[in-house]
Amino acid sequence: MKQLAWALCLTPKVLLLATAAALLPACTSVIESGLEPQVLHEVQDGPRPWTDAAPNYDADAVRFAIFSDLTGGERAGVFELAVEQLNLLRPELVVNVGDLIEGSQERVEIDRQWASFNERAQESVAPVFYTGGNHDLLDQQLRTAWEERLGPRYYHLRYRDVLFLVFDTEDHSFERLGEIAKLRQQAIAVAKESGWGEFAKTEYANLPEDETGMISEAQSAYMQRAIANNSDVRWTFLLMHKAPWANNNMSTWLAVEDALGERPFTVFHGHRHTYQHTQRNGRDYIRLATTGGVFLPESGTSMDQLVWVTVDKSGAHIANLKMSGILDKTGKRPGNGEHLCLEPQDCPGE
C-alpha cells in the first residue's frame, strides 16, 4: 500500500534543508517502497537542533471522535458548534453515547426532533453513527420512531481493524418499557416544575433501570456473535447510554464481558451528564459529560466535551477535549461559539 505523501514531505515539526526538487524523488521512493517516512535534512555531523524521538507516524492509525448527551433541556447552538469543531479536527468517523433528541409522547413532535437532529448531524464531514439513549428509546412510540427512521436499535460495525459495538440499554420487554416510561414522564414533569434536584428524589430516578438500563438475551447473543466473528481486530469499543455493569447480576452484560475475554477494549457511556473514569477488570470504562445537555455540576465534573481517540500500533489513546478550548485559526470558537456557555461555572443561570 502506498503511504500518503504529506506524511513524509510536509510535516511541520522538522527542518527540511534540501531543495523541493531534491525532496520529491526521495519522497516518492519511500512512499512506493512501503517504508515508514524519514526526516530529510542536510545536517551531517555534530549536534542537531531537534530531539531524538522518531516522528509519531502510523499509516494504519484510526482516528475518531465521540460526543455525548444533548438532552435534559438541550442548550441551543452547542451541538451545532460541536459539529463545526469536529469538522476542524477531521476525524474519520464520529460516534456517540445516546440521548440525541429530547423525546415526546407525540409522534409528530418526535419526528420533528429527529428531523432537526439529522439535519444538524448531516453537517459533519465525517459519518455520524447513532446510539440510542433513554430520551430516544424509552417508550413504545420512541422505539417505533427509531426503528422506522433509523433501523436497528443495536448493531456493530467494523472500520479497518477496529470494532464498534453499539448497544441499546433500553432493551426492556414491552410491558416493562411501558411501566418505566410512565414513571419517567412523571419524573420529567417534576424536573420541569421543581428542578433536577427534585427529579433525583422521584421513583423513576431511583429505579435500578435508571442507572443500569437493560440488555436483552437477544442483544447479548448478537454482541457475542459480533465479537466472535471479529476476533482479529486491534481494538474494540463499546458504546452505550447507561451502565449495565452497575447491576452485577445482569447476566446478559456479564456474558458480553466474558466474550471479550483478554482482547483490548474500551467502554464509553453517558446518561449522568458528568465525567467519570473508572476501570473494571483492567479495562477503561468512561462516562462522558455532555455536548449541549443540561449541566449537573453538583453530581461531578460537568462540561461540554468531545473525545478524540487515536488507535495505533501502541494502543488506544484517549483525549478529552473541552469544547470551550477548541478554537479555529482566528483564535476563536467557530461559528456562533463565542456567544455560548460551555462550562457550568461560566453560566450560573443555566
Side-chain angles (χ1 to χ4, degrees):
M1 181 183 293
K2 292 184 178 181
Q3 310 295 351
L4 295 177
W6 58 261
L8 168 64
C9 302
L10 300 181
T11 174
K13 295 183 179 179
V14 298
L15 181 64
L16 301 179
L17 301 178
T19 65
L23 273 175
L24 186 56
C27 290
T28 302
S29 63
V30 173
I31 293 165
E32 293 181 346
S33 71
L35 298 174
E36 291 192 4
Q38 303 294 315
V39 176
L40 304 180
H41 58 84
E42 290 186 340
V43 180
Q44 300 299 323
D45 299 309
R48 297 172 180 173
W50 56 79
T51 67
D52 294 331
N56 185 21
Y57 173 78
D58 182 354
D60 296 322
V62 175
R63 297 172 177 86
F64 68 93
I66 313 173
F67 65 87
S68 190
D69 303 39
L70 279 66
T71 57
E74 181 181 352
R75 288 172 291 115
V78 177
F79 180 63
E80 290 89 332
L81 172 62
V83 172
E84 292 192 70
Q85 291 174 324
L86 289 172
N87 287 344
L88 290 175
L89 294 168
R90 283 302 198 265
E92 295 174 63
L93 50 85
V94 178
V95 295
N96 56 82
V97 293
D99 271 10
L100 308 179
I101 66 171
E102 202 66 41
S104 173
Q105 296 177 261
E106 303 296 331
R107 179 59 189 266
V108 171
E109 174 59 15
I110 294 170
D111 286 338
R112 186 200 68 76
Q113 291 177 16
W114 275 122
S116 172
F117 179 81
N118 291 338
E119 180 180 7
R120 294 177 288 162
Q122 289 290 349
E123 294 298 315
S124 170
V125 297
V128 179
F129 297 89
Y130 295 10
T131 301
N134 54 294
H135 281 258
D136 312 311
L137 291 170
L138 190 54
D139 70 25
Q140 188 57 54
Q141 189 87 286
L142 288 164
R143 180 182 287 189
T144 298
W146 177 287
E147 292 174 341
E148 290 180 357
R149 298 180 66 99
L150 300 169
R153 293 175 284 113
Y154 54 85
Y155 59 99
H156 76 282
L157 60 103
R158 176 170 175 155
Y159 179 68
R160 294 159 62 181
D161 60 353
V162 176
L163 178 64
F164 296 86
L165 305 177
V166 182
F167 289 78
D168 167 19
T169 51
E170 305 302 329
D171 199 12
H172 305 279
S173 68
F174 287 149
E175 180 181 5
R176 186 56 178 158
L177 190 71
E179 294 170 351
I180 297 171
K182 183 177 180 179
L183 292 173
R184 179 175 174 274
Q185 290 162 11
Q186 296 170 355
I188 292 293
V190 169
K192 290 180 178 179
E193 177 70 25
S194 305
W196 289 95
E198 292 302 312
F199 173 91
K201 302 175 184 178
T202 63
E203 183 177 354
Y204 169 76
N206 290 281
L207 289 175
E209 291 92 340
D210 181 48
E211 177 69 25
T212 68
M214 174 56 66
I215 296 172
S216 67
E217 293 283 355
Q219 182 176 180
S220 179
Y222 171 89
M223 294 302 179
Q224 292 174 62
R225 287 194 299 272
I227 293 166
N229 292 337
N230 292 275
S231 60
D232 59 333
V233 295
R234 189 187 329 192
W235 209 274
T236 300
F237 293 94
L238 292 77
L239 302 159
M240 64 201 69
H241 190 61
K242 293 179 180 175
W245 57 90
N247 180 347
N248 289 322
N249 295 319
M250 191 176 291
S251 60
T252 50
W253 171 256
L254 295 178
V256 172
E257 288 184 320
D258 288 343
L260 288 164
E262 296 302 315
R263 74 165 63 188
F265 69 87
T266 304
V267 176
F268 290 99
H269 62 111
H271 187 51
R272 290 304 185 193
H273 292 218
T274 56
Y275 186 85
Q276 182 185 70
H277 170 265
T278 60
Q279 284 203 327
R280 177 177 167 88
N281 300 324
R283 302 294 190 270
D284 290 320
Y285 283 56
I286 298 174
R287 186 180 73 202
L288 304 186
T290 70
T291 309
V294 62
F295 287 136
L296 298 173
E298 65 279 2
S299 300
T301 302
S302 186
M303 58 185 168
D304 283 318
Q305 73 162 123
L306 302 170
V307 180
W308 186 264
V309 183
T310 302
V311 185
D312 63 17
K313 57 191 174 185
S314 63
H317 312 277
I318 297 164
N320 287 291
L321 309 178
K322 287 187 174 183
M323 287 179 59
S324 58
I326 303 174
L327 312 179
D328 64 16
K329 64 183 180 182
T330 71
K332 297 181 179 180
R333 299 173 194 156
N336 195 43
E338 287 295 298
H339 303 288
L340 298 175
C341 178
L342 304 174
E343 297 189 54
Q345 63 268 26
D346 298 329
C347 43
E350 294 285 352

